[in-house]
Structure formats: C-alpha cells, structure tokens
Amino acid sequence: IKKNRVKEIENIVLELKKNFKDSFYFEIQRHGDEGEKNLENIFLDLSLKFKLPIIASREIYYINKDMHEAHDALICIGEKTYINEKNRKKFSEEHYLKNSDEIKKVYSDLPEALENNYLFPYRFNFKLNKSQPVLPTIKISNGLNEADELLNQSKEGLKNRLNNFVFKKKGEINRSQIEKTYYSRLDHEIKIINEMKYAGYFLIVSDYVRWAKKNNIPVGPGRGSGAGSLVAYSLDITDLDPIEFDLIFERFLNPDRVSMPDFDIDFCEEKRDLVFKYLKSKYTDGVAHIITFGKLKARMALRDIGRVLGLPYGHVDKICKMIPFDPSRPLTLKESIEREPRIKEEQKNNNKVKKLIELSLKLEDINRNLATHAAGVVIAGEKLSEQVPLYKDKSSDLLLPSTQFNMHSSESAGLVKFDILGLNTLTVINKTIQILKNKKINLDISKIPLDDPEIYKLLSTGETTGLFQLESTGVRSSLKQMKPNKFEDIIALVALYRPGPMNNIPIYNDCKNG
C-alpha cells in the first residue's frame, strides 16, 4: 500500500477513534490469502501508534475443511468461470470453521488478539426480536383516525353495493331485513379488524385497487379467503358478495389465530407496472419488491457443476435426465442416486462423473441466484432503508428496489406484504371487451349474468380452453361428467380439484345427477 494511502487510512482511524472511543478494534485475519500479511503489518503498526486493540477474526465460507473444493466450484458458478482457469478468483483452503486449538496455533504470536476475541461478546447485549407489523400512516383529510375512516368508507361503500347490486337481485320487499343482515355482518367484521389493528391495511389495499379501477386497469373480482370479507366488498377490494355465496370472514381474519391479512389481488398483466408506479409515487422510499433466492436443486446443481468442471453438455444432460421428475415432491440428488442404478453405474465408471456427483451433493440446496418475488411488495411506515437492507439490480428495469430479506424474514422484521398479481386472463378479457366496443357492442364484465343456461351448456361440453382454472385436461373431463347448471357447481369443482379431494369428484357428480 502506497504511503499516501497509509496516511488516508490514518485519518480514517483517527475519525473512527474519536467517534467510537474504546469500542474500536483492528481486525486481524489469517487465511493465507494474498495481501493479508501486508495489511496486517500496517494494522499492527497503527495499533501501536494510536493505542488501539487488535482482535482476531475469520471469514467462514464453509464448516468443514473438505468443503473447500465445493466452495471453489460455487465461486466458479457465480463468476461464470471454469475450475481449470488460471486467472480467476480463488480463496485459500483456510476459510473453514477452526476449533479452539487450531485458532490458538494460528494466532500464537498475538495472544492479545485472541483474548480480545473471547472477551468481545461481553461488550454488548442485544437480542433481535420479531417486530410488530409497521404500516405507513394513512393521511386522512378530515382528521379522523384510521378506524373511523374505515367505518365511514365501509358504510358508504356498502350503501352503494346494496343499491346497485343486492336490491336489484333480491328485490325491495325485504329491504329492511336485508339491510339488517348486511350491516350486522359489517359491524362484526369492523370490530374484529379494529381489535387486530388492521384498519390501515384495508385502507391501503382499497386505495390502490380503487386507483387501478379508475385508471382502466382491469382488476380481478377477488380470490382466496379475502373474498369472505364484506368490508373488502364494500371497499371495492373484491367484487363478490360474501353473504350471497355464504363465505366465512373468519377464514380470512380470526382473532384466535393472529396473522396478517393477505389479499391476493389480480391485475391485468400488461398494466400491472402502472400499479407499482402508483405505489412508488404515493409511498416514495417506503415501498419495495421482495427478494427470492433460487436454490441449487439436484438437476441445476449437476448442470452448473458439470459446466465449471468442463464436462460435455450432452453427457451432463444425459445424467440429469436420469433424475426422476416428480413436481409434487422433488427428489434430492441422494434419493435419486439410491433409486436410479444408471447414475451409480456412471459414477463407478467415470472419475469425472464421480467428482461431479461428489461436489453436487455438497452444494445441493444452497442459494444460487437472486430473483424477485412474482407478486409481493412491502409497504412500510418509514424509509425502508432504515428498517431492512435493500438491493437494486443494475441490469434490471424494475422501478422499485428489493428487500435483501426474503418474504418470511421481511415479515419478522415488521414489514407487511401486499400481493400485486399479474393475470393474463384479465388482459384477454380486457382486449376482448375493446374488440366488442369497436363492433358497437358494450359489455360490462361486472354485470354479466351467472345463470345464463347457454353458458352452462357450453361448460358441459368441456370446451373450456382459455377459461381461468377450468382449462386443464382433468377439469374438462370432470365438467363433462358433472354437467353444471349453476354457478355453485363451478365453485364446488374448483374446490374439489386438488390432491386428495379430487378422488371424490366422480361421487359428487353421480350425486348431483341423481
């Protein structure tokens, strides 16, 4: 290191010493890596000069010494290099977790560095606890609190829903009884929402859903347990009347099972980015995508490590295809080897394949790459950068940064997730409506009848390609057997068509048809 650089380091040291006083140490590391010895000598000189303590530490990249080769292969995967390349990033074999005796031997000439290391944990006392959910403060123009605002908006919204939809379907005869049923349910839900302090959550979701609808961005009618909320129906978050379909609010929010509410809102796939733009303009530095981590699964591990070892792609591909494919329960590499004798044979007859399998077993299931959660964003009360570390991919055109914590860790840190899903079906419906408009046919998708017999005739033929959740081969076959004639039949089929309950579809169909 040049003299002027050392002077620069001295100035930084003086500044740090002034701010941190006796809580500032020089860190000495010994892994046998290039440049470490030179830096250590400078640090030891500065330690004497400024009377600063030294502390021994290590960078642990793997637990056991025999993992060095696998870690080296992992570096090659990340750097897109090959094991046999000379000029590539390399680390020494010393980055494993040494025991006390090994550490004492490494720092035998600097006992004070080790002593400081052992005493260091006594200098602080901090436990990282789960944080309570932190939502942004909603700016309410009339000075009301969030609970009162939720009540006002819900009552106003329910009044519109009753006049525009419910009374038109059920008639005006039992108006007072209908109103009593709906307002009683609304009060019950509002009480639970306010007790659980989730009024702000409902107002935030309602705000961006209403904004999307006003700006001609198609929004789904609602799905999942959130469709059981009358408050959500009143706030335009969903377009399904939970009382008409006998849906249960407690599936969504339940005081006996405290968890954050979670609305899955579908938006037109082509216009979803506009919703992200809106959130960015409204919450500025308080909104981000959620990071996800791609894992090195069995096949991916073999392909990646095969490449860095320089094995022919065709040969590696042949071995990958020997791994049984079971999406419902993906097998580990170890399980695959035990099940597939051909892999054992390849391993036995070819040393390179033996090395490939050995390294793949060591690296399987570790994080391989960064990606962005397909739908999740977090909206926080403060600047996100003051709550969690953030990540911005320079090569990506994403408007928002990502959290460096995954979904579960973000929630533990007090961040609240909102699902902004992109659904191609909504895009198709929207484009179809535009084509019809050009032909002077105006169709309001929210007012199409659910009892049109012609539709059920069509569904009974099984010709349902392109219909959301009704287009798989199995569902189409079930539709033919069921011969649906009311909307509740479709509800039942979608509910039954999942592993386990689907075995009962033939019984259901037989009962329905007498």
Side-chain angles (χ1 to χ4, degrees):
I1 296 175
K2 293 175 182 176
K3 280 185 180 179
N4 63 337
R5 189 80 177 100
V6 174
K7 187 66 186 166
E8 196 180 323
I9 292 170
E10 283 187 6
N11 292 335
I12 294 168
V13 167
L14 286 169
E15 186 67 25
L16 290 170
K17 188 183 177 185
K18 186 173 79 178
N19 286 302
F20 294 104
K21 301 180 174 62
D22 66 340
S23 297
F24 176 48
Y25 295 76
F26 273 115
E27 178 186 50
I28 305 299
Q29 293 190 342
R30 290 178 173 178
H31 308 98
D33 284 327
E34 197 180 328
E36 266 184 358
K37 188 68 185 167
N38 186 17
L39 197 62
E40 181 185 309
N41 290 334
I42 291 168
F43 280 3
L44 290 173
D45 289 344
L46 291 171
S47 167
L48 287 169
K49 185 173 180 178
F50 296 113
K51 295 183 174 55
L52 285 165
I54 55 172
I55 188 167
S57 85
R58 299 188 62 71
E59 286 184 333
I60 310 299
Y61 293 150
Y62 40 90
I63 303 297
N64 304 313
K65 193 170 185 176
D66 67 357
M67 285 290 288
H68 167 69
E69 199 176 359
H71 178 260
D72 195 42
L74 184 67
I75 295 296
C76 290
I77 292 170
E79 297 284 315
K80 295 182 173 59
T81 53
Y82 297 92
I83 293 257
N84 57 10
E85 269 185 49
K86 287 182 181 177
N87 300 318
R88 65 172 177 85
K89 187 191 273 189
K90 283 186 182 179
F91 292 95
S92 72
E93 298 179 5
E94 297 295 307
H95 288 272
Y96 66 97
L97 187 63
K98 292 189 179 236
N99 61 36
S100 296
D101 291 336
E102 288 175 304
I103 290 287
K104 283 174 187 172
K105 195 174 176 183
V106 172
Y107 294 101
S108 58
D109 59 322
L110 293 174
E112 69 272 34
L114 273 186
E115 193 176 337
N116 286 331
N117 184 304
Y118 296 135
L119 294 173
F120 191 67
Y122 299 104
R123 298 218 53 176
F124 56 89
N125 179 17
F126 178 76
K127 186 183 176 191
L128 193 65
N129 293 313
K130 278 182 76 170
S131 299
Q132 290 302 308
V134 181
L135 284 162
T137 306
I138 311 292
K139 290 172 186 171
I140 302 165
S141 56
N142 50 19
L144 293 175
N145 61 35
E146 289 174 358
D148 290 336
E149 179 65 12
L150 179 69
L151 181 64
N152 285 356
Q153 284 195 27
S154 297
K155 284 189 170 176
E156 185 62 33
L158 181 56
K159 184 178 163 188
N160 292 334
R161 290 291 194 184
L162 288 170
N163 290 330
N164 294 327
F165 293 96
V166 180
F167 293 141
K168 286 182 180 178
K169 278 184 186 176
K170 300 188 178 183
E172 299 279 335
I173 302 166
N174 298 319
R175 188 180 181 108
S176 61
Q177 185 55 46
I178 290 168
E179 282 185 338
K180 188 179 176 184
T181 303
Y182 276 80
Y183 280 103
S184 170
R185 167 76 172 256
L186 191 79
D187 290 340
H188 167 70
E189 288 190 19
I190 294 265
K191 185 170 177 284
I192 291 174
I193 292 164
N194 287 336
E195 276 175 7
M196 297 179 81
K197 297 184 169 53
Y198 292 152
Y201 180 88
F202 277 77
L203 291 171
I204 289 167
V205 177
S206 172
D207 173 67
Y208 65 70
V209 170
R210 282 174 166 167
W211 177 86
K213 288 176 178 178
K214 276 180 197 164
N215 287 275
N216 299 316
I217 299 169
V219 183
R223 62 156 123 170
S225 58
S229 169
L230 186 67
V231 171
Y233 181 58
S234 303
L235 294 174
D236 293 333
I237 294 171
T238 61
D239 287 318
L240 287 163
D241 180 347
I243 291 177
E244 182 187 347
F245 293 105
D246 201 21
L247 302 177
I248 304 163
F249 174 68
E250 280 72 15
R251 267 199 69 216
F252 181 58
L253 266 192
N254 192 328
D256 295 327
R257 184 181 59 85
V258 178
S259 60
M260 279 304 296
D262 188 13
F263 282 112
D264 290 334
I265 312 288
D266 296 311
F267 293 90
C268 165
E269 201 164 44
E270 286 185 357
K271 296 185 176 183
R272 186 173 67 135
D273 284 351
L274 297 174
V275 181
F276 292 138
K277 267 187 183 174
Y278 173 69
L279 293 175
K280 174 73 177 168
S281 68
K282 190 171 179 81
Y283 301 105
T284 57
D285 296 329
V287 61
H289 291 293
I290 301 169
I291 207 164
T292 58
F293 299 98
K295 301 269 185 190
L296 265 180
K297 294 298 179 188
R299 291 185 178 204
M300 181 61 80
L302 288 171
R303 290 187 197 283
D304 275 345
I305 293 158
R307 183 189 63 76
V308 302
L309 288 174
L311 285 167
Y313 174 80
H315 192 182
V316 176
D317 188 54
K318 186 178 106 178
I319 297 166
C320 287
K321 284 173 180 170
M322 294 176 191
I323 292 174
F325 181 66
D326 183 358
S328 62
R329 188 193 162 273
L331 296 178
T332 65
L333 185 54
K334 189 180 177 186
E335 288 171 327
S336 302
I337 293 166
E338 285 166 2
R339 281 197 193 188
E340 182 50 74
R342 289 179 299 165
I343 300 178
K344 288 180 184 172
E345 197 63 29
E346 284 277 349
Q347 212 175 346
K348 188 176 161 186
N349 298 332
N350 189 320
N351 285 333
K352 283 191 173 181
V353 173
K354 187 180 175 184
K355 178 62 70 180
L356 168 68
I357 301 287
E358 179 193 319
L359 296 178
S360 298
L361 285 167
K362 288 179 177 179
L363 291 178
E364 186 182 13
D365 219 35
I366 66 165
N367 289 342
R368 179 189 183 274
N369 59 287
L370 307 175
T372 304
H373 190 285
V377 296
V378 289
I379 302 173
E382 303 295 330
K383 277 188 174 179
L384 262 175
S385 55
E386 293 174 10
Q387 287 179 262
V388 293
L390 299 179
Y391 164 77
K392 183 81 175 165
D393 183 355
K394 289 176 184 175
S395 62
S396 165
D397 58 356
L398 287 174
L399 179 71
L400 305 174
S402 294
T403 60
Q404 284 190 34
F405 292 170
N406 69 7
M407 183 172 73
H408 302 295
S409 299
S410 291
E411 285 176 348
S412 296
L415 300 184
V416 181
K417 176 173 75 77
F418 296 80
D419 281 323
I420 316 286
L421 298 147
L423 186 63
N424 188 49
T425 307
L426 290 172
T427 310
V428 172
I429 290 169
N430 188 46
K431 287 186 174 178
T432 306
I433 288 169
Q434 294 307 316
I435 292 166
L436 290 171
K437 260 187 190 171
N438 296 338
K439 295 177 181 288
K440 304 287 187 290
I441 301 168
N442 289 313
L443 176 68
D444 184 346
I445 198 73
S446 67
K447 291 178 180 172
I448 59 169
L450 298 183
D451 56 359
D452 184 341
E454 292 299 315
I455 293 296
Y456 294 102
K457 274 185 197 171
L458 171 65
L459 293 177
S460 299
T461 66
E463 297 295 328
T464 54
T465 303
L467 293 187
F468 185 56
Q469 294 194 334
L470 297 181
E471 57 183 323
S472 73
T473 308
V475 173
R476 289 163 68 185
S477 171
S478 300
L479 280 167
K480 285 183 190 176
Q481 296 161 16
M482 178 183 268
K483 300 181 179 63
N485 57 3
K486 57 183 184 295
F487 192 61
E488 283 74 8
D489 291 339
I490 306 303
I491 294 169
L493 179 60
V494 173
L496 285 166
Y497 200 81
R498 60 195 66 229
M502 68 197 311
N503 297 333
N504 297 309
I505 292 174
I507 301 166
Y508 181 93
N509 289 344
D510 287 346
C511 291
K512 173 184 160 49
N513 293 308

